[in-house]
Amino acid sequence: MSMHAVRGTKDVFGDEMLLWHRAEQVFREVTAAFNYREFRTPIFEHTEVFKRGVGQDTDIVGKEMYTFEDRGGDSLTLRPELTAPIVRACIEHSLLHHNPVQRIWYAGPQFRYERPQKGRYRQFHQFGAECVGSPHPEADAEVILLSYEALRRFGVTSFKLEINSLGNAAVRAAYRSALIEFFEHHKGELSEESQKRMYTNPLRVLDSKNEKDRQVVASAPLLQDYLDEESKIHMTSVLALLNSAGVPYVINPYLVRGLDYYNHIVFEFTTDALGAQNAIGGGGRYDPLFALLGGGDQPAVGFSIGIERMILLHQAEHSQEALVESEPRGVYIIAIGDSSRDTVHTLAVQLRREGIHVVTDLLRRSIKAQMKDANRENVAFTVMIGDDELATGSAVLKNMVTGEQQTINQSAVVSVVK
Ligand code: AMP
């Protein structure tokens, strides 16, 4: 049996955990400011949710899902993304009957069988939000501003917001045909993968990273030239809202994102600071998804951000020391000899009930070794109790910052250290 974490997964512990906690705090604060409510769906779903919701031709469904048959013979899949499960849940619980606009956020693990490398894992975490029920550009702008605000408040800056419009269904159908026709003329110049994809999902060829494909794509027709009036108005309205919020962006006409269900606005946060994995997060409007999952016509827009990549970006921009808790806190209660152990225990119970951070020795060490441990734990005070103190109900309190020492009543410890 191999005693190490599965390839593509990682343990989070120690100082890195401080960054995760800070990220989670930011998600809570920002979503509260935007009136989004947290939603937690199961880690696995019926495979059909993703097949229908993410799309058969996508990399996710085609190559990356952790799908298995359970003991009852059902095909289940560890969620590779959370938009389809949230939509499934909105439909299942008829949420839109209760409130015609649902503002939902989530954070949690996702699973994709990808080739692991820095910033790309097989279990990774996403923070995301979905705004369901509004077809208007205000909703698009709201989720973009929410995601931007989360990154800003988390303290990362070396990223760029890229944005594009995929237009409505009619626009994309016309553009799709034009693209296929164009790629047919250049078929020999495309990568093998794109030669297959140009018929099933020609828009995906546009954001291929392959150098050969990129050269062909550079002269491909642009979707922007096919946009109808409605799509143009939607896009310019979203951009105007971003402008007035002072959020910088660049228009990237080749941005299509990997999933089939997007229409109108798509956007991505990209960075040069993380090597090959340049996407920190992204999203877009996905009006067709509700119907695909049997929920009728229901407009929606959302995003998701990779938490590991957000954290890597933070680490690239800031030193870890800035995060480590350097302020001394709490109390180390030192037992001198076996006889004081019970009193140390009861005092620890009392202090902890008052919410005070308390450390006690679990190795029955000498006073010197406990003092050393207290230094390592970076406590603000030590409290020593030995035979003399037991006899008088007192304790020797030391302020670890000033070095000042005094004997006080055991019952006074709480008020002094609090
Ligand atoms: P996607 O839904 O594929 O656009 O993913 C949204 C975000 O999740 C990306 O921008 C990444 O930050 C993150 N992400 C996607 N796949 C992975 C992965 N395999 N490992 C780590 N982060 C990922």
Side-chain angles (χ1 to χ4, degrees):
M1 186 170 127
S2 69
M3 294 302 284
H4 45 75
V6 173
R7 187 165 134 79
T9 69
K10 75 188 215 75
D11 299 313
V12 178
F13 59 98
D15 289 344
E16 190 190 335
M17 194 56 95
L18 299 176
L19 271 173
W20 282 78
H21 287 167
R22 181 185 284 194
E24 286 156 10
Q25 190 189 339
V26 166
F27 304 154
R28 290 210 168 78
E29 286 169 9
V30 174
T31 52
F34 282 78
N35 192 36
Y36 280 61
R37 299 174 91 181
E38 188 175 1
F39 209 109
R40 298 189 188 180
T41 65
I43 295 287
F44 50 79
E45 296 274 345
H46 290 291
T47 302
E48 208 47 34
V49 170
F50 303 111
K51 277 199 174 158
R52 281 207 257 162
V54 182
Q56 295 275 11
D57 297 328
T58 57
D59 284 349
I60 292 183
V61 173
K63 310 190 226 170
E64 297 171 359
M65 292 205 302
Y66 279 91
T67 297
F68 59 98
E69 203 174 276
D70 75 0
R71 288 168 192 273
D74 286 334
S75 177
L76 305 179
T77 294
L78 300 186
R79 61 187 193 199
E81 58 102 60
L82 251 164
T83 302
I86 296 277
V87 170
R88 189 268 305 140
C90 283
I91 298 169
E92 182 170 340
H93 305 295
S94 309
L95 294 184
L96 291 141
H97 292 314
H98 303 297
N99 185 336
V101 174
Q102 290 292 326
R103 294 177 162 108
I104 292 168
W105 72 274
Y106 61 79
Q110 320 288 335
F111 306 85
R112 294 183 194 172
Y113 192 80
E114 292 193 82
R115 202 164 42 77
Q117 53 178 251
K118 185 183 173 200
R120 190 161 72 199
Y121 311 100
R122 289 180 174 171
Q123 174 175 328
F124 61 99
H125 297 72
Q126 284 181 338
F127 157 63
E130 316 290 352
C131 178
V132 184
S134 166
H136 300 299
E138 296 88 289
D140 305 58
E142 186 171 281
V143 300
I144 297 174
L145 293 178
L146 196 169
S147 50
Y148 179 84
E149 185 60 14
L151 292 171
R152 196 189 67 78
R153 269 207 220 187
F154 186 55
V156 292
T157 50
S158 51
F159 65 85
K160 174 163 96 177
L161 167 60
E162 300 184 25
I163 189 160
N164 190 23
S165 171
L166 300 180
N168 57 25
V171 166
R172 267 197 324 289
Y175 179 60
R176 201 171 181 274
S177 315
L179 260 189
I180 294 177
E181 201 185 318
F182 171 81
F183 288 142
E184 275 174 340
H185 284 111
H186 298 271
K187 201 166 172 182
E189 302 154 50
L190 289 171
S191 70
E192 223 172 281
E193 178 142 32
S194 291
Q195 289 190 24
K196 277 188 234 143
R197 246 193 202 143
M198 57 176 269
Y199 293 108
T200 53
N201 200 342
L203 266 71
R204 284 299 313 280
V205 178
L206 295 180
D207 63 5
S208 162
K209 295 215 160 72
N210 182 293
E211 206 33 58
K212 278 168 75 179
D213 293 341
R214 287 181 104 116
Q215 279 180 16
V216 177
V217 163
S219 56
L222 286 178
L223 202 149
Q224 277 167 328
D225 299 331
Y226 288 74
L227 289 181
D228 64 350
E229 210 45 36
E230 178 217 350
S231 304
K232 280 186 197 159
I233 291 173
H234 190 94
M235 173 76 158
T236 46
S237 310
V238 173
L239 298 182
L241 291 166
L242 297 183
N243 289 339
S244 64
V247 169
Y249 56 83
V250 285
I251 294 172
N252 173 358
Y254 299 111
L255 180 68
V256 298
R257 308 231 340 112
L259 311 182
D260 280 355
Y261 50 56
Y262 287 113
N263 65 336
H264 286 299
I265 298 295
V266 285
F267 61 97
E268 206 151 73
F269 294 100
T270 58
T271 180
D272 294 329
L274 300 182
Q277 303 312 310
N278 71 338
I280 314 166
R285 178 165 279 285
Y286 53 91
D287 299 338
L289 184 57
F290 268 76
L292 288 173
L293 291 178
D297 275 343
Q298 203 56 255
V301 51
F303 75 87
S304 69
I305 289 176
I307 302 178
E308 283 84 355
R309 292 194 194 164
M310 233 177 114
I311 284 174
L312 282 168
L313 193 59
H314 196 285
Q315 288 167 333
E317 290 184 19
H318 305 272
S319 75
Q320 180 71 28
E321 286 86 66
L323 269 170
V324 178
E325 284 151 3
S326 53
E327 286 291 297
R329 60 173 185 145
V331 187
Y332 197 114
I333 313 178
I334 295 175
I336 308 173
D338 292 342
S339 48
S340 58
R341 214 167 281 130
D342 282 352
T343 306
V344 165
H345 169 74
T346 36
L347 186 57
V349 170
Q350 270 175 25
L351 296 182
R352 286 177 179 141
R353 283 195 181 140
E354 295 293 326
I356 296 165
H357 168 87
V358 177
V359 192
T360 55
D361 174 40
L362 292 179
L363 295 176
R364 301 190 172 185
R365 283 174 283 198
S366 67
I367 311 178
K368 200 171 150 213
Q370 289 186 66
M371 249 317 174
K372 203 169 148 203
D373 196 30
N375 277 318
R376 181 171 42 216
E377 294 289 352
N378 197 20
V379 289
F381 296 95
T382 55
V383 170
M384 262 187 281
I385 299 176
D387 287 342
D388 290 353
E389 290 74 28
L390 281 181
T392 56
S394 63
V396 179
L397 179 91
K398 182 173 178 189
N399 182 321
M400 297 292 278
V401 182
T402 61
E404 195 185 324
Q405 197 163 303
Q406 54 175 321
T407 300
I408 60 171
N409 211 308
Q410 281 169 21
S411 57
V413 173
V414 172
S415 53
V416 178
V417 302
K418 208 165 180 183

